[in-house]
């Protein structure tokens, strides 16, 4: 369906198109079963940064406050990118591995399923 | 039959209106909530000018219900002599 | 001999219908240029019925009476230092939300009804919309007036208008009304008069205002019920417009159904904050969100939709999901504000032990299992001086603009975040729910234009990249209006006023 408008061909401006972010892409990151963080978070990231830098810098800033964060075995994390299983290469850049503007990265940490049996 | 409901501010004027409603709608249930009087009845609820006027001891204009009305459900039928809410189902 | 007094029906006819005229030499379509583009077909405006039959003279008379009563109470409230009689200063934070989120929405509604009051082709509907436009202006004025007393004693009230246009969570009510006001007059009136006023505002004004009374706030309950006395008329307009549109032409039925589905969902999402105000922000509890939803929507709304069945209108499909979310909504919303409380224009806190027991009792199927452990953990950390605030910024839903905190309640997996997305013209868009996704997909041309606060911060349009810069842009006085209630200047002032050590 399309919007019904007074004038034919009405189209709102794309407010969040990629070129508006000064070279960064927006990446959303969520940690399954850890509702201590109420929702996934949004980060403006340089698409040329290696995935390893996300693990080293971005994730601790966004999720490091959780007691289970320090226990994560990064080799065992199950990742998905845009809802497809994803095996990251720590050395390669985000762009090289298919990260695009407004993509969704989810991580599952088997064995670390949140606290108190309540997915906290 | 669906329930209709009306809410009135809990004040002096409403007290007379509620008394009239109870008299004219014997199955109505009146709930006293903080600052609010909520009245429910199966199917319909009617407020009659004559009954309210009698309770107040003065002539009551049906449209002045607006001053104390908080909420209602149902289809409305209003005339000089009555105010009625009703569901057709 | 005295002239015969007109009865209410005659008076209504003379003072409403007879104010209209035929267009004998001008083109009627040019006078009402918005009447056709939405696809609604009107064959006979004279079939419009206003059951209240309120004429302008009666309108002014009763509105004046309401105002006199209201301002007498405001005066008494101020003269008697009424703010000292509230149950606890935590309560005042609910009023800050009311003033920053809801009062400006009243103004937006005023604006929208001025538009429909001009553009609808039928005189009866136009007059009803014009009255409502004036009502909405009265509402924001009386609300500002009531809050001005609290503004003398508490933080967070003074920049409500500036904040409404900028602060991240206030884009939720703002965009809701922007969406409605940028629709045509028929969608606007179905959205606001029917879906919002008729089906949903009871939840905002009735149990919350009873709650205000229960918490000793005479000023708020008075403006609330005074406003709600107008709502009874607005609700009636909502029901009448729906019946009128459905009776005018069968082609209107699917259009109206689509609008009801959309706006019931949009309105419900907006009320997330009210759920939280009722369950978490009233120190004296009165009725839970879940109970209010059952009474005012499932019971009263159920009767309404049974009544509309004869026109071919069905209960919106989203009602099923809402019924499942009612056990979770207020807890998830409060947790979001609690964890982002450093960037909110009101204080947050963990519920006391007694309050948690009340929540367990009201939410036996969800609170102890999912939410009590979270709040207890947060309270323990706060006790140790390590009050938790979430770093960074949340992902937002493209349609409702709310952080993506909703979980898969529809699938009985309340501990899995609900992720939905779609592609449109090469860009990916994300949603909190199927319903928000459907709304986007129906009119992507409109929703690509959404001003999402988180993205606006990233684009450098909100004062800077640091939280401190953004707070300045919001005029959100860091250290005074935000963060935990414990240790706030509000708490200190309240204790001093009440003589509590």
């Amino acid at each position: 369906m399309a919007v019904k408008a007074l004038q034919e061909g009405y189209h709102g401006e794309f407010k969040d198109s990629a070129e508006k972010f000064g070279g960064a892409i927006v990446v959303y990151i969520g940690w399954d079963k850890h509702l201590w963080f109420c929702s996934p978070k949004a980060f403006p990231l340089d698409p040329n940064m290696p995935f390893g830098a996300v693990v080293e810098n971005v994730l601790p800033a966004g999720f490091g406050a959780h007691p289970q964060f320090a226990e994560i075995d990064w080799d065992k994390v199950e990742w998905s990118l845009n809802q497809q299983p994803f095996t990251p290469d720590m050395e390669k850049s985000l762009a090289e591995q298919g990260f695009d503007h407004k993509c969704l990265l989810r991580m599952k940490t088997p064995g670390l399923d949140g606290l108190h049996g309540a997915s906290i | 039959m669906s329930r209709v409901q009306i809410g009135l501010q809990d004040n002096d004027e409403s007290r007379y209106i509620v008394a009239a409603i109870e008299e004219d709608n014997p199955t109505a249930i009146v709930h006293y909530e903080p600052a609010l009087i909520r009245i429910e009845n199966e199917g319909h609820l009617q407020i009659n000018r004559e009954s309210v006027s009698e309770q107040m001891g003065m002539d009551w204009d049906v449209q002045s219900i607006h001053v104390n009305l908080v909420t209602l459900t149902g289809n409305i039928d209003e005339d000089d002599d009555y105010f009625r809410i009703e569901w057709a189902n | 001999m005295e002239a015969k007094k007109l009865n209410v029906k005659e008076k209504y006819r003379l003072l409403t219908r007879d104010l209209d005229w035929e267009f004998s030499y001008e083109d009627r379509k040019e006078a009402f240029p918005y009447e056709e583009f939405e696809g609604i077909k009107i064959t006979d405006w004279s079939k419009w019925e206003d059951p209240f039959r309120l004429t302008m003279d009666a309108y002014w008379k009763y509105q004046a009476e309401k105002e006199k009563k209201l301002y007498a109470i405001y005066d008494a409230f101020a003269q008697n230092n009424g703010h000292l009689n509230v149950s606890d200063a935590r309560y005042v934070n609910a009023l800050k939300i009311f003033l920053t989120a809801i009062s400006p929405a009243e103004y937006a509604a005023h604006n929208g009804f001025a538009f429909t009051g001009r553009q609808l082709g039928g005189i009866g509907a136009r007059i009803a919309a014009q009255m409502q436009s004036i009502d909405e202006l009265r509402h924001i004025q009386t609300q500002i007036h009531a809050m001005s007393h609290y503004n003398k004693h508490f933080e967070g009230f003074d920049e409500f208008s500036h904040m409404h246009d900028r602060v991240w969570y206030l884009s939720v009510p703002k965009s809701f009304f922007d969406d409605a006001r940028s629709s045509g007059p028929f969608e606007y009136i179905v959205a606001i008069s029917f879906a919002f006023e008729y089906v949903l505002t009871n939840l905002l004004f009735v149990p919350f205002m009873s709650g205000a009374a229960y918490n000793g706030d005479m000023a708020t309950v008075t403006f609330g019920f005074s406003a709600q006395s107008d709502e009874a008329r607005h609700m009636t307009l909502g029901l009448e417009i729906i019946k009128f549109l459905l009776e005018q032409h069968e082609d209107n039925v699917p259009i109206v159904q689509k609008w009801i589905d959309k706006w019931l969902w949009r309105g419900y999402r907006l009320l997330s904050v009210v759920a939280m105000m009722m369950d978490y922000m009233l120190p004296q509890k009165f009725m839970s969100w879940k109970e209010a939803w059952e009474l005012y929507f499932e019971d009263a709304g159920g009767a309404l939709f049974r009544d509309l069945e004869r026109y071919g209108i069905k209960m919106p499909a989203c009602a099923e999901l809402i019924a499942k979310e009612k056990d979770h909504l207020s807890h998830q919303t409060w947790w979001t504000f609690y964890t982002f409380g450093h960037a909110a224009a009101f204080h947050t806190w963990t519920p006391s032990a007694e309050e948690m027991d009340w929540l367990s009792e009201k939410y036996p199927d969800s609170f102890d299992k999912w939410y009590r452990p979270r709040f207890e953990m947060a309270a323990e950390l706060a006790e140790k001086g390590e009050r938790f605030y979430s770093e960074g910024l949340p992902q937002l839903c493209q349609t409702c603009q709310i952080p993506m905190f909703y979980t898969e309640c529809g699938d009985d997996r309340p501990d899995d975040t609900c992720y939905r997305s779609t592609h449109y013209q090469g860009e990916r868009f994300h949603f909190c729910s199927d319903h928000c996704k459907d709304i986007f997909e129906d009119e992507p041309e409109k929703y690509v234009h959404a001003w999402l606060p988180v993205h606006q911060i990233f684009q450098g349009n909100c004062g800077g990249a640091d939280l401190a810069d953004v707070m300045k842009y919001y005029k959100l006085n860091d250290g005074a209006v935000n963060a935990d209630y414990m240790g706030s200047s509000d708490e200190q002032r309240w204790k001093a006023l009440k003589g509590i050590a």
Side-chain angles (χ1 to χ4, degrees):
Chain A
M1 284 297 286
V3 72
K4 282 182 181 149
L6 277 174
Q7 264 108 40
E8 229 175 282
Y10 161 81
H11 206 296
E13 176 201 355
F14 282 74
K15 273 273 187 225
D16 296 319
S17 45
E19 75 278 1
K20 293 195 164 77
F21 290 81
I25 55 169
V26 174
V27 178
Y28 306 110
I29 306 178
W31 185 8
D32 284 18
K33 306 287 182 193
H34 289 77
L35 295 170
W36 185 248
F37 307 104
C38 64
S39 71
K41 294 184 179 188
F43 302 91
L45 301 179
D46 178 354
N48 300 312
M49 76 194 285
F51 187 83
V54 172
V55 173
E56 242 165 79
N57 303 317
V58 179
L59 295 178
F63 303 96
H66 195 286
Q68 288 186 331
F69 187 82
E71 299 170 37
I72 296 175
D73 178 345
W74 294 100
D75 295 331
K76 287 190 182 157
V77 175
E78 292 170 12
W79 303 92
S80 76
L81 182 62
N82 292 323
Q83 307 292 40
Q84 299 299 319
F86 168 66
T87 311
D89 181 328
M90 294 290 167
E91 310 301 322
K92 281 190 180 163
S93 76
L94 300 182
E96 284 173 296
Q97 305 185 67
F99 284 70
D100 56 358
H101 183 50
K102 293 167 74 178
C103 60
L104 170 67
L105 177 70
R106 287 173 65 180
M107 58 177 199
K108 268 194 191 118
T109 49
L112 300 174
D113 293 327
L115 300 165
H116 304 298
S119 302
I120 295 170
Chain B
M1 191 75 97
S2 296
R3 256 184 304 177
V4 293
Q5 163 171 297
I6 192 166
L8 298 167
Q9 292 190 50
D10 188 356
N11 61 26
D12 243 18
E13 264 175 26
S14 297
R15 217 172 303 148
Y16 300 117
I17 302 172
V18 173
I21 292 175
E22 285 183 298
E23 195 180 282
D24 295 341
N25 305 267
T27 54
I29 302 163
V30 182
H31 303 271
Y32 289 87
E33 292 172 6
L36 175 79
I37 309 174
R38 196 165 55 79
I39 308 154
E40 298 175 318
N41 200 23
E42 290 295 321
H44 72 275
L45 201 69
Q46 183 154 331
I47 307 175
N48 295 310
R49 184 172 65 93
E50 209 183 314
S51 313
V52 179
S53 299
E54 185 119 325
Q55 291 286 344
M56 282 185 179
M58 57 187 269
D59 194 33
W60 180 72
D61 184 338
V62 174
Q63 284 201 323
S64 70
I65 186 126
H66 282 291
V67 177
N68 299 309
L69 189 59
V70 173
T71 184
L72 49 80
T73 59
N75 294 299
I76 295 164
D77 180 16
E78 190 194 85
D79 210 330
D80 291 282
D81 295 321
Y82 65 88
F83 180 90
R84 185 180 170 89
I85 47 176
E86 186 165 19
W87 284 127
N89 61 79
Chain C
M1 198 180 111
E2 205 184 336
K4 182 178 164 279
K5 200 171 167 246
L6 294 171
N7 74 26
V8 68
K9 280 177 183 160
E10 289 165 333
K11 205 166 124 189
Y12 178 75
R13 183 180 54 76
L14 286 168
L15 290 177
T16 306
R17 296 296 157 78
D18 287 3
L19 295 179
D20 209 10
W21 61 85
E22 293 296 319
F23 288 78
S24 55
Y25 57 91
E26 287 287 348
D27 183 358
R28 195 181 177 284
K29 279 188 183 173
E30 278 181 44
F32 300 104
Y34 298 96
E35 214 178 39
E36 288 177 5
F37 81 96
E38 297 173 272
I40 289 290
K41 292 176 182 157
I42 305 293
T43 54
D44 184 3
W45 270 111
S46 77
K47 293 282 192 303
W48 168 269
E49 274 292 332
D50 182 351
F52 277 137
R53 298 191 187 88
L54 200 62
T55 52
M56 268 295 167
D57 60 332
Y59 172 76
W60 291 123
K61 180 181 155 195
Y62 292 121
Q63 295 303 97
E65 207 172 309
K66 288 180 194 175
E67 288 281 280
K68 273 187 213 153
K69 291 176 81 169
L70 179 60
Y71 279 89
I73 292 169
Y74 284 179
D75 285 347
F77 183 78
Q79 286 157 5
N80 292 297
N81 282 321
H83 63 284
L84 293 177
N85 296 327
V86 300
S87 53
D88 184 70
R90 289 181 305 161
Y91 163 77
V92 175
N93 290 286
L95 299 180
K96 298 174 191 176
I97 297 177
F98 202 102
L99 186 65
T100 52
I102 299 165
S103 300
E106 305 268 18
Y107 188 77
H110 151 70
N111 181 305
F113 279 102
F115 167 71
T116 47
R118 165 64 185 84
Q119 297 299 344
L120 294 176
I123 185 71
R126 272 210 308 282
I127 286 185
Q130 285 164 14
M131 285 177 185
Q132 181 159 354
S133 180
I134 299 165
D135 293 338
E136 305 290 0
L137 200 54
R138 176 175 101 87
H139 295 176
I140 184 172
Q141 286 173 343
T142 55
Q143 286 162 21
I144 293 168
H145 223 110
M147 304 291 184
S148 69
H149 182 78
Y150 286 99
N151 182 45
K152 293 174 190 162
H153 302 280
F154 300 97
E155 302 283 354
F157 287 95
D158 51 337
E159 290 291 355
F160 71 94
S161 178
H162 178 92
M163 285 178 180
H164 187 73
D165 292 334
R166 290 164 183 80
V167 175
W168 57 281
Y169 54 90
L170 298 176
S171 83
V172 176
K174 184 180 168 67
S175 61
F176 175 91
F177 272 93
D178 284 353
D179 188 353
R181 285 190 300 155
S182 55
S183 308
F186 289 112
E187 181 174 350
Y188 178 82
I189 204 162
V190 169
I192 305 303
S193 297
F194 181 74
F196 198 63
E197 300 271 4
Y198 197 93
V199 188
L200 297 172
T201 48
N202 272 329
L203 286 147
L204 169 61
F205 276 100
V206 185
F208 181 74
M209 292 303 164
S210 263
Y214 209 44
N215 282 275
D217 182 3
M218 276 332 291
T220 297
V221 65
T222 311
F223 84 64
F225 282 164
S226 189
Q228 190 65 25
S229 68
D230 298 344
E231 304 302 340
R233 180 156 35 76
H234 303 170
M235 290 165 68
T236 306
L237 173 60
L239 185 54
E240 291 311 314
I241 193 82
I242 284 283
K243 290 195 292 193
F244 175 72
L245 294 179
L246 297 172
E247 279 167 9
Q248 282 289 306
H249 204 289
E250 61 184 1
D251 291 356
N252 294 344
V253 177
I255 301 176
V256 168
Q257 178 79 56
K258 188 176 94 172
W259 288 340
I260 295 175
D261 293 352
K262 169 183 172 182
W263 288 100
L264 183 73
W265 180 254
R266 297 277 278 120
Y268 160 71
R269 272 293 188 247
L270 183 59
L271 291 187
S272 298
V273 73
V274 177
M276 150 189 127
M277 284 157 77
M278 287 176 63
D279 285 348
Y280 284 86
M281 302 187 82
L282 297 178
Q284 295 289 333
K285 312 289 185 200
F286 158 63
M287 182 187 262
S288 69
W289 162 259
K290 185 181 174 182
E291 288 167 326
W293 183 259
E294 287 166 354
L295 176 65
Y296 288 104
F297 182 80
E298 293 179 3
D299 193 18
L304 164 70
F305 281 100
R306 280 194 295 282
D307 209 64
L308 294 176
E309 270 170 19
R310 65 195 141 111
Y311 299 107
I313 290 292
K314 295 188 187 74
M315 173 66 92
C318 65
E320 259 176 65
L321 178 57
I322 299 174
K324 289 196 160 182
E325 283 189 358
K326 71 188 174 190
D327 275 313
H328 303 276
L329 183 68
S330 64
H331 318 301
Q332 294 180 348
T333 312
W334 183 243
W335 180 250
T336 301
F337 278 109
Y338 179 82
T339 57
F340 284 101
H342 52 307
F346 58 93
H347 299 300
T348 47
W349 54 86
T350 49
S352 68
E354 297 79 46
E355 286 168 337
M356 287 210 224
D357 289 345
W358 182 85
L359 290 163
S360 301
E361 184 198 320
K362 296 294 178 185
Y363 295 95
D365 300 329
S366 61
F367 187 74
D368 284 351
K369 166 78 180 134
W370 300 111
Y371 304 104
R372 178 187 280 273
R374 231 189 271 181
F375 285 112
E376 285 180 345
M377 195 173 142
E380 264 172 50
L381 281 171
E383 192 72 21
K384 284 196 286 182
E386 297 166 23
R387 201 310 192 167
F388 173 61
Y389 295 108
S390 202
E391 287 291 318
L393 301 174
Q395 181 183 7
L396 307 180
C397 170
Q398 183 76 23
T399 303
C400 69
Q401 309 199 2
I402 297 174
M404 300 246 306
F405 66 74
Y406 300 97
T407 56
E408 298 279 9
C409 294
D411 209 14
D412 298 317
R413 292 186 288 125
D415 61 335
D416 285 329
T417 302
C418 191
Y419 291 99
R420 298 291 183 273
S421 67
T422 192
H423 276 87
Y424 175 68
Q425 292 196 6
E427 192 171 322
R428 196 178 291 112
F429 294 89
H430 299 267
F431 310 95
C432 69
S433 57
D434 290 325
H435 302 291
C436 277
K437 178 174 176 248
D438 291 346
I439 290 167
F440 175 94
E441 287 181 334
D442 193 54
E443 296 179 301
E445 301 91 338
K446 192 172 190 180
Y447 296 99
V448 297
H449 193 59
W451 193 91
L452 296 183
V454 168
H455 292 166
Q456 289 300 315
I457 292 171
F458 291 161
Q459 289 177 33
N461 297 332
C462 300
D466 291 335
L467 185 62
D469 298 328
V470 176
M471 300 277 270
K472 262 187 217 144
Y473 167 79
Y474 289 168
K475 293 196 185 175
L476 203 156
N477 187 1
D478 192 10
V481 308
N482 57 339
D484 206 283
Y485 175 72
M486 294 278 282
S488 68
S489 50
D490 271 7
E491 186 197 25
Q492 287 165 19
R493 210 170 292 121
W494 176 251
K495 284 186 168 168
L497 286 168
K498 298 293 277 186
I500 307 166

